[in-house]
Amino acid sequence: MSADLSKTAYDHLWMHFSRMADWADTPVPTIVRGEGAYIYDDRGRRCIDGLSGLFVVNAGHGRRELAETAARQAAELAYFPVWGYAHPRAVELAERLAHLAPGDLDKVFFTTGGGEAVETAWKLAKQYHKLTGNPGKYKVISRAVAYHGTPHGALSITGLPALKAPFEPLVPGAFKVPNTNIYRAPVHGDDPEAFGRWAADQIEQQILFEGPDTVAAVFLEPVQNAGGCFPPPPGYFPRVREICDRYGVLLVSDEVICAFGRLGTTFGCQKFGYVPDMITCAKGMTSGYSPIGACIVSDRVAEPFYRAGTSFLHGYTFGGHPVSAAVALANLDLFDREELNQGVLDREADFLATLSRLRDLPIVGDVRGNGFFYGIELVKDKATKETFTEEETERVLYGFLSRALFENGLYCRADDRGDPVVQLAPPLIAEQGLFDEIEAILREVLTQAWAKL
């Protein structure tokens, strides 16, 4: 990028979740092209896309057929809303998703992204309970440190205080329970099954504390993103399903990241054997070639909305966009043809084993996750699990690690949403050679980071 263009980026492009002052005197990293599991910047440098853009480009970069699908659809029907009307691609995609989803999740409400899908699910849950004679059920329960989006409702469900503080007061009625980080488990740290039972039971305790007649829904990710890829312990989700059924609480599986092959299944709930009342999804549905999201709803929850004189007074201008729907259909065809989900299942153990080689480094405390979705937690002391101080986080994580990884050819996430972690979620086409490249870059940069502590 030329100096002038970099300055223009700083002057006019307000980058998301970014400290804009960091780019006042530093060229803004600019990605100009992607191919397979790699991205290329304006200087011609090749870099591994170790985060699939933002857990999005599941089928990989440079899929010309998806771009061509978008062009064909735009030429035929570029836009029409689904506000009381239908168009063929939205109908076809809704049917496809209904067939792919588990149980009786047969109704699809389209959005343009994940945060909107979560917002939709909370509003839908509240109105559902009103329509079924339980108007006091409006509260939601989610997990500490979990991220569920940036709209005011979704942000209220989010369990990251630092992200919420600038925008408070938020939507009332959102409560938090412990997450499934067994690495820092307060109890049963040596017994995953007992820990899973304990963590699930905290949801029941919260429902009872608030009053079952006030709780509308529980929002959980199959693998929690923020905090660094917390997988569920054995038995956790079946127990949560049992608790929700007991108290008439809807279970929402937030799969904005975990759907469409990230864990090796179309939906993450299928990996862990539970059927939710709603699924929120987005990101990988089109592999990022056009924006779309959805809230997939069970027939039972949808039923009162289909009664005469009733409507869900909610919608988005670009929800179910014809171009995005067409691209999603083509993307799902590609998944089937290339068996991308099975590829993740076949290679996930190899990816984990490769990343686990990093456990010999003094800075690596834990390696965890599922499918092609892993977090590496960084520590100062492996024996005590002592984490970074605030000063060390600023100096080592933000001041060095993020940029050093990119400079060495790996784009991924180094963050402290919870404790300091590096997250990896490469495109689903990744194979052992790429895993080895990722491990080698991480080893070199993490060794340098340790020297700075």
Side-chain angles (χ1 to χ4, degrees), residues 56 59 65-73 87-97 100 108 110-111 260 266-267 281-294 320-337 340:
V56 171
E65 67 191 86
L66 300 184
E68 291 171 347
T69 294
R72 284 195 302 271
Q73 180 59 48
H87 58 77
R89 300 298 88 77
V91 173
E92 292 164 7
L93 180 58
E95 181 185 35
R96 184 84 166 266
L97 293 174
L100 289 169
V108 181
F110 285 117
T111 68
F260 306 110
T266 300
F267 295 105
C281 56
K283 292 186 184 289
M285 194 190 308
T286 65
S287 289
Y289 285 74
S290 192
I292 198 168
H321 192 282
V323 173
S324 296
V327 172
L329 287 163
N331 183 57
L332 293 172
D333 287 342
L334 188 157
F335 265 65
D336 289 345
R337 187 171 63 252
L340 293 185

Side-chain angles (χ1 to χ4, degrees), residues 351-413:
F351 190 20
L352 176 59
T354 303
L355 294 177
S356 294
R357 299 200 303 247
L358 296 167
R359 288 179 180 272
D360 68 345
L361 299 178
I363 198 173
V364 173
D366 194 27
V367 180
R368 56 181 177 251
N370 195 277
F372 275 19
F373 187 33
Y374 292 100
I376 301 168
E377 183 167 337
L378 308 181
V379 295
K380 285 171 60 177
D381 188 311
K382 291 168 78 86
T384 65
K385 303 181 183 179
E386 182 183 0
T387 192
F388 294 4
T389 65
E390 188 174 330
E391 183 276 332
E392 289 162 342
T393 296
E394 283 293 324
R395 179 167 51 84
V396 178
L397 195 69
Y398 293 119
F400 169 73
L401 196 59
S402 294
R403 293 190 186 185
L405 287 167
F406 184 74
E407 292 293 327
N408 281 268
L410 175 60
Y411 163 75
C412 60
R413 169 178 280 174

Side-chain angles (χ1 to χ4, degrees), residues 143-147 158-161 179 224-227 230 417-419:
R143 295 183 290 202
V145 188
Y147 176 83
T158 290
L160 292 156
N179 57 44
Q224 182 174 317
N225 168 37
F230 303 145
R417 297 182 183 182
D419 293 293

Side-chain angles (χ1 to χ4, degrees), residues 219-232:
F219 282 71
L220 303 173
E221 299 164 277
V223 175
Q224 182 174 317
N225 168 37
C229 303
F230 303 145

Side-chain angles (χ1 to χ4, degrees), residues 227-251:
C229 303
F230 303 145
Y236 176 78
F237 275 112
R239 174 66 177 148
V240 171
R241 178 72 271 181
E242 176 186 308
I243 291 166
C244 288
D245 289 342
R246 178 178 303 161
Y247 299 106
V249 174
L250 301 182
L251 176 56

Side-chain angles (χ1 to χ4, degrees), residues 19 31 49 53 78 84 118 150 155 210 224 226 228 232 241 245 263 269 300 333 379 407 420 422 434 450:
R19 299 176 177 182
I31 308 304
D49 184 354
V118 171
T150 56
L155 188 57
E210 293 301 325
Q224 182 174 317
R241 178 72 271 181
D245 289 342
L263 306 183
C269 57
R300 177 178 66 88
D333 287 342
V379 295
E407 292 293 327
V422 175
L434 193 79
W450 176 251

